[in-house]
Amino acid sequence: MSWNPINLRGISFLSQTKKPAFVEFKEGLNVICGASDTGKSFVLEAVDFMLASTTGSPLRDIKERVGYDRVRLVLQTANGNFHTFERPVSGGNFVLFEGDFLTAAPEIEGTVLRPTPLGASNDSVSTFLLSLIDLSDKYVRTNKEGKTRRLGFRNLVRMSVVEEHEIIKRSSPILSEDVVLKTGDYATFKLLLTGVDDSALNQVQIIAEPPNQRTNNSSKIAFIEELVAELSAEMNDSPLNRTELEVRLSNLETDSRNYQENLARMQETLDERIERRSSIMIQLQGLSCRTDEINGLLSRFELLREHYRVDLERLAAIEESGSLFIHLNQNPCPLCGALPSDQHSEEQCDGNVDSVVRAANAEGEKINKLLSELNQTIEELSTESRGLTASKSELDLDFRELNREIQDIVSPLKEVQTGFSELVRQSREIERKLDKLTRIEELEKKKAHFLTQSEDSAIDEGEQSDPATSASPAHVELSASILDEYAQKVQSLLKAWHFPNADRVFFDEKTRDIIIDGKPRTSRGKGLRAITHAAMTIGLMEFCLERNLAHPGFVILDSPLLAYYEPEGEEDSLIGSDLKDKFYEYLATNEGNSQIIVIENEHPSSEITGRITITNFTKNPNEGRYGFFPHTENK
């Protein structure tokens, strides 16, 4: 095993109808920076997808990659050879081409490779990549009993390719979140630090692990211990004290009941006010309708009264002209034209003026009676209208007062509801913690049961057991000196970057993480966890380079300088320090044929950009490069 690094030379997406989308990398420090939502993190995801990923699902579905059906990754080995891997965006097998074909059509026929070996076969990307870095046919331990499995390239990827959510996690950078994989993760870490794998355990295991109850129980106990450790780690921010949690839960339940009673009272008052307001609104609508109806009637009655007035004036004119005709000198009849001598005043005729006058008087009296009734009706309607207006004014005042009362109730009601929701959230959180405690207690009972079985089995075997066949294989630990040398390497990086209080860095084998100035790395804010995660990842690669040990030879980090932009508190903030400049300065001047790719929003300083490979995504279609994928109008 020796240092035979791989360098990434580019990642591209190809389409039958679109221009290729690609980004190229060079040896040394590469920085991808620029605006958010331009595809920076997607570059890392695509590289990870192409490094022997066995995922059954396609790449993250973003609208920019629609129309692209293939991904290519170009690698260059230490001897200068290029290898191009092509894969459908939906996943599945790879095609390997010997040469650099980042965007060009391959000139040779490719070789189909599986993501990982199938059985004893070697036709996989994982096997091929391991052969390039001198790590073929290596084995790593998978449990405390010494069971092993063949090293896969994905074991190394998690120590070289770090996504944003991984770089700030509250656990060791060396270990994955899956408790079943942690033993293998640490064995891989040991392999990189020492160059020694666990293949020797394969021979010991054949002799040393007879299929008896004691061995089986040991496996169960080890698994239970790992589960308990995992659950206990999740409880590290709370006391592992059931009584205290139950008291806290009881207090929260009491507070919740008080909140519920208060909410019920406020809601009851609110409902009563809303019901009254609705009733007033209905009354106001009724009053408005009646007022409109009265106004319509009054308008029509005014027209009728005007007609009565005109009729009375007409009848008065008839009466006046008839009276004058009767009392004046006799004249020819106005109707038939008969001379006074020919008139028959004792007889009735159409021209009987006296009769016409009496009829006009009678008609006038009738109309006056109707007019009187009409005036009385108009007066009654006007009085009713004035009453309706007064009532409407009073109801308007009540309506506005109820609106004010409702607003006065709603504001504190929302605060009480928010407080109640928070109490419910806290109660559920404590219930989850109690559930974890219950699971821990149940696991401890099972562990005690298996321990008792193992002790009984050992007593039954007595002195008759054969040490050559019953002894468990020794657990190979990393030596303290190697771990200390690794910790000193990480310390040298932190000091070179001007990380505060980095004079004492130790590796804690219990947590499998570093302690800086007496404080566990995982107890710091997410910003400092990010930069220290970067130091451990880069430190591992440099440790291997300096000792001529195998390593992939590249590191990709997403947002390692998070502390500059999202500090969690004063002691977690690096704002105002020169760590950012020192970080880039160190990586830009570091010698060796290793490769580091950093993904960040902010640009490095102008003093450094001329010495590194920088790719800037502007998110501006009129300036520079828009993003990883070409800009389109419907983007």
Side-chain angles (χ1 to χ4, degrees), residues 582-606:
K582 294 299 180 181
F583 172 80
Y584 281 126
E585 179 69 30
Y586 176 88
L587 298 182
T589 58
N590 193 29
E591 297 180 355
N593 55 352
S594 61
Q595 183 184 48
I596 298 174
I597 301 173
V598 175
I599 298 172
E600 276 290 354
N601 285 352
E602 296 292 323
H603 298 64
S605 65
S606 56

Side-chain angles (χ1 to χ4, degrees), residues 189 193 478-492 504-509 514 543 547:
F189 177 65
L193 286 184
L478 269 167
S479 68
S481 60
I482 293 293
L483 291 174
D484 186 60
E485 290 176 12
Y486 169 68
Q488 294 311 304
K489 181 61 190 177
V490 176
Q491 176 178 304
S492 69
R504 293 187 301 122
V505 177
F506 302 96
F507 189 91
D508 181 13
E509 194 169 8
I514 59 172
F543 184 94
R547 288 160 177 76

Side-chain angles (χ1 to χ4, degrees), residues 145-146 199-211 468-469 471 473:
E145 281 64 50
S199 57
L201 293 176
N202 295 340
Q203 302 299 322
V204 177
Q205 193 173 5
I206 295 173
I207 301 173
E209 294 189 357
T469 59

